Amino acid sequence: MAPREAATPSANVVPFPDRKKDRELERIARIVPEHDGLCILYSHHALSREKLFAGKILCWGIQNDGEVVALLPWLNGVVRSTELTDPDSGCFEGYYDPVNEVIFTEPPAPKVAELEVARKHYRRENLPATAVVQELPDTIGSHAACIVAQHLALFEVRSWQLLASGEFQAMLADPEKQTQTPILPGDRCLYAAQTQPGFRYFFQYHIANQIKAGDPVAVRALERLLE
C-alpha cells in the first residue's frame, strides 16, 4: 500500500487561541501601592443610570506583556479595572483624581515608569505558584465579609500578598496569635481570608462602616449578595 500523503491544511481552519499563553502574558508580575488617593470611576445601572461611582485603587500592577492596570478588591477577589465591563454590576469608565478633580483614562506616567523599572530590577522567575512575591499593607480600609457560626462578621484586611501565580491573598489577623503591635505585613498572626471556609466578599471601608452601623440599604444589599 502506498504511503498516505499528509493532509494539506485548509485555508479556512482557524486555530483556537492559546488561552494558557494569554493568561501568562496577563499575569501580574509586580505591584506598587497607590498613595495619592486615586480612584476608578464606574457605572452601575442597578444603582443609578445617571451617576458614576468611585472606587479606591489598592495598587497598580504590571502584567507580563507590559500593560499597567489598576487593581482593587471587588466582590470575592482583586480585579483589574479593565475587567469591569458589565454596566449592571460595574463598568469601568476611567480614573479620577479627587484632589485635583481630574478625570483621565490612562495609568499615571509615574506609576508606569516605577513598575517598568521595578520589574526589570527585581527578577522573580521560576518560583512556585504559591510563593509570595510581594506583600503590601492595605491602605484603603478593605474588609472581608465572612459567615462565622451562621452570623456575618467583618474583618479588617491588614495586607495583600501577590503570589507568583499573579493571584492575590487578603491577609487577616488572628487575635489569638497576635504577639505585637502594630501588625505589619509578614506577621505570623496573619492568615489568608480566602482560606477561611465562611469567606464571602470584600468591602471598602465606607460600605463596611455602613454595614456595621446597620444601615438598611447596605444591609439589604449585603443580604442579596449572600442569598
Side-chain angles (χ1 to χ4, degrees):
M1 180 181 295
R4 183 179 298 175
E5 295 183 359
T8 302
S10 169
N12 295 325
V13 174
V14 178
F16 285 106
D18 188 342
R19 285 303 303 154
K20 183 177 181 180
K21 182 178 180 181
D22 290 345
R23 286 194 295 270
E24 178 60 25
L25 290 174
E26 294 169 354
R27 180 171 60 84
I28 299 296
R30 190 78 189 171
I31 55 177
V32 295
E34 170 50 54
H35 286 319
D36 295 297
L38 300 182
C39 304
I40 70 159
L41 290 178
Y42 64 96
S43 54
H44 198 306
H45 289 177
L47 300 176
S48 173
R49 290 182 176 270
E50 289 77 35
K51 297 179 180 179
L52 292 180
F53 300 88
K56 286 186 175 293
I57 295 171
L58 173 67
C59 60
W60 300 86
I62 187 167
Q63 302 179 161
N64 278 339
D65 62 6
E67 182 178 357
V68 173
V69 292
L71 298 156
L72 68 160
W74 191 271
L75 294 182
N76 61 355
V78 173
V79 301
R80 298 162 174 82
S81 56
T82 51
E83 292 176 328
L84 303 179
T85 57
D86 184 356
D88 290 325
S89 60
C91 185
F92 173 66
E93 303 289 352
Y95 301 111
Y96 178 60
D97 180 352
V99 175
N100 298 307
E101 298 184 343
V102 174
I103 297 174
F104 52 102
T105 58
E106 298 296 328
K111 296 297 181 183
V112 174
E114 182 179 357
L115 281 165
E116 289 176 343
V117 171
R119 185 177 61 155
K120 292 178 181 178
H121 183 77
Y122 300 103
R123 307 298 296 181
R124 299 290 188 270
E125 298 174 350
N126 302 319
L127 293 174
T130 56
V132 178
V133 177
Q134 289 177 264
E135 185 171 355
L136 302 180
D138 180 271
T139 57
I140 59 174
S142 303
H143 283 65
C146 305
I147 301 299
V148 179
Q150 299 183 336
H151 291 86
L152 175 68
L154 293 173
F155 299 95
E156 294 182 26
V157 176
R158 301 289 183 161
S159 62
W160 296 87
Q161 291 182 345
L162 170 65
L163 305 182
S165 64
E167 301 298 317
F168 285 83
Q169 290 189 146
M171 307 305 292
L172 311 179
D174 183 342
E176 295 184 358
K177 296 181 179 180
Q178 181 181 346
T179 59
Q180 55 190 357
T181 57
I183 299 174
L184 302 178
D187 194 294
R188 292 183 180 180
C189 73
L190 296 176
Y191 67 97
Q194 292 91 329
T195 65
Q196 183 158 308
F199 167 71
R200 292 295 184 269
Y201 298 105
F202 294 117
F203 294 99
Q204 292 195 2
Y205 73 98
H206 59 287
I207 299 296
N209 285 337
Q210 290 174 15
I211 295 172
K212 291 176 184 178
D215 178 81
V217 175
V219 171
R220 281 199 300 270
L222 177 60
E223 289 173 344
R224 286 197 295 269
L225 282 174
L226 297 177
E227 289 175 353

